[in-house]
């Protein structure tokens, strides 16, 4: 198999703020995997808060992976084991895993959701409203009226006022994501209002290692379910989450690809945990593999491509607020 990887930067349609900071572009690594005349494509955004970068993912794909990827794209388990021994970068692995699945689907002539025995129908995606001023938040909520669920980034100074403004502009379910930006005190103070506003879930309120904070918040009732994102990357993290929260946010860029993501979902189910499927700020090429397994989730958060200024890839649909994977073989996306 021949691997051709490069990094690129995706421009956002507008500035995107979360509790950790704001940005106007998202770096990604992109891969073409060619074998027997078929080209599989993959992309992933690095987990920046884990000290990964597009460059470290590129390094993994150009200097490490080619030596061990082998000559059989169908041998996913064996490829994964050899890559695991290398350690390395989860975004690089996710891009490679996506390209392998794209190659297999194209070789067999079936879309990935069908290859995996799944349905293309998934719950509606949330659309994310980044941290902004009160007026800016109101404006963003107004412009997001076509979506069935809103995810409001919190962890700033005006969380409650912003959430109330979103509620005034939109009747749809609201989720909140603090990206580790709250303290137990701030969460306690906000909780009654969150319940009043009908907030559907709270994602990563506290730093990933503040398990006592999670446990204390979980004792309070009534409250929305607590979802762990930054604190849950791969299968090894899932069992612990059952001890302090209610659900996990599965992202391919964290798990290193589809196979580990599906293992995480099964483990979560065995532990009685809910499942969200999310993404980074990525193009349709990187969101597509997650969309193909969206039917396995309780909550879908696949709006990364919807935040971009341009669509370098196309093939994903958006229908009734749902991200719909294509019927075309493999990932079903191609350069626009
Ligand atoms: Mg999150």
């Amino acid at each position: 198999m021949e691997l051709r990887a490069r990094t690129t930067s995706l421009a956002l349609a507008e500035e995107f703020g979360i509790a950790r900071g704001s940005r106007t572009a998202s770096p990604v690594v992109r891969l073409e995997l060619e074998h027997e005349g078929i080209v599989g494509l993959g992309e992933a955004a690095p987990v920046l808060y884990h000290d990964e970068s597009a460059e470290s993912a590129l390094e993994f794909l150009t200097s490490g992976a080619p030596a061990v990827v082998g000559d059989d794209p169908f041998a996913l388990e064996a490829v994964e084991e050899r890559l695991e021994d290398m350690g390395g970068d989860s975004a690089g692995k996710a891009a490679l895993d996506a390209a392998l699945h794209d190659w297999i689907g194209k070789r067999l002539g079936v879309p990935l959701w069908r290859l995996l025995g799944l349905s293309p129908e998934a719950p509606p995606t949330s659309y994310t409203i980044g941290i902004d001023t009160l007026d800016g938040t109101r404006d963003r909520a107004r412009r997001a009226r076509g979506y069935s669920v809103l995810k409001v980034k919190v962890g700033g100074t005006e969380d409650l006022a912003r959430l109330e403004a979103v509620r005034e502009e939109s009747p749809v379910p609201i989720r909140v994501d603090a990206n580790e930006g709250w303290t137990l005190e701030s969460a306690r103070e906000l909780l009654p209002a969150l319940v009043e506003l009908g907030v559907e879930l709270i994602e990563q309120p506290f730093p990933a290692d503040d398990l006592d904070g999670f446990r204390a918040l979980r004792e309070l009732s009534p409250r929305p379910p607590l979802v762990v994102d930054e604190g849950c990357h791969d299968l090894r993290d899932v069992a612990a989450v059952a001890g302090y929260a209610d659900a996990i946010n599965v992202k391919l860029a964290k798990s290193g690809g589809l196979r580990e993501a599906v293992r995480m979902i099964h483990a979560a189910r065995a532990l009685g945990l809910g499942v969200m499927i999310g993404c980074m700020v990525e193009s349709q090429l990187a969101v597509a593999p997650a969309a193909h397994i969206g039917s396995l989730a309780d909550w879908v958060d696949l709006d990364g491509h919807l935040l971009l200024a341009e669509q370098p890839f196309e093939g994903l649909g958006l229908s009734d607020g749902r991200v719909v994977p294509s019927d075309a073989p493999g990932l079903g996306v191609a350069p626009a």
Side-chain angles (χ1 to χ4, degrees), residues 155 178 180-190 205-207 210 213 217:
E180 309 184 291
W182 281 352
T183 61
L184 180 58
E185 291 65 37
S186 55
R188 265 206 183 107
E189 205 177 298
L190 282 165
F206 311 129
D210 182 12
L217 185 58

Side-chain angles (χ1 to χ4, degrees), residues 151 153 177 179 203-204 229-230 249 251 301:
K151 172 155 141 179
K153 293 289 192 180
D177 185 356
N179 293 104
E203 191 176 330
Q204 199 71 46
D229 179 1
E230 282 86 341
N249 185 349
K251 295 178 179 172
D301 179 29

Side-chain angles (χ1 to χ4, degrees), residues 127-145 147 149-154 158-176 197 199:
Y127 180 78
T128 306
I129 295 181
I131 291 181
D132 200 337
T133 61
L134 199 49
D135 285 343
T137 300
R138 190 180 292 279
D139 179 50
R140 285 174 194 248
R142 211 173 280 145
R143 287 185 281 125
R145 275 190 183 144
Y147 295 96
V149 187
L150 295 177
K151 172 155 141 179
V152 182
K153 293 289 192 180
V154 293
E158 296 183 297
D159 287 345
L160 182 55
R162 288 180 54 242
L163 287 166
E164 285 170 347
V166 172
R167 179 44 85 224
E168 281 166 24
E169 296 298 331
S170 171
V172 303
I174 295 174
R175 303 169 184 166
V176 300
L197 288 165
V199 166

Side-chain angles (χ1 to χ4, degrees), residues 10 28 42-45 98 112 125 252 258 277-294 300-308 311 313 316-317 323-325 331 333:
L10 304 171
V28 297
E43 180 192 283
L112 183 54
T125 183
L252 303 180
L258 284 156
I277 288 183
C279 62
M280 304 298 192
V281 178
E282 298 163 321
S283 83
Q284 293 190 30
L285 176 55
V287 176
H292 282 273
I293 61 168
V300 168
D301 179 29
L302 294 179
D303 67 341
H305 61 300
L306 301 171
L307 304 176
L308 299 180
Q311 299 299 324
F313 287 84
L316 277 185
V323 175
V324 185
L331 296 177
V333 293

Side-chain angles (χ1 to χ4, degrees), residues 209-233:
D209 59 2
D210 182 12
L211 305 191
D212 288 342
F214 274 93
R215 290 193 192 99
L217 185 58
R218 195 163 70 158
E219 291 301 309
L220 304 180
S221 172
R223 57 157 182 83
L226 306 181
V227 182
V228 176
D229 179 1
E230 282 86 341
C232 184
H233 284 247

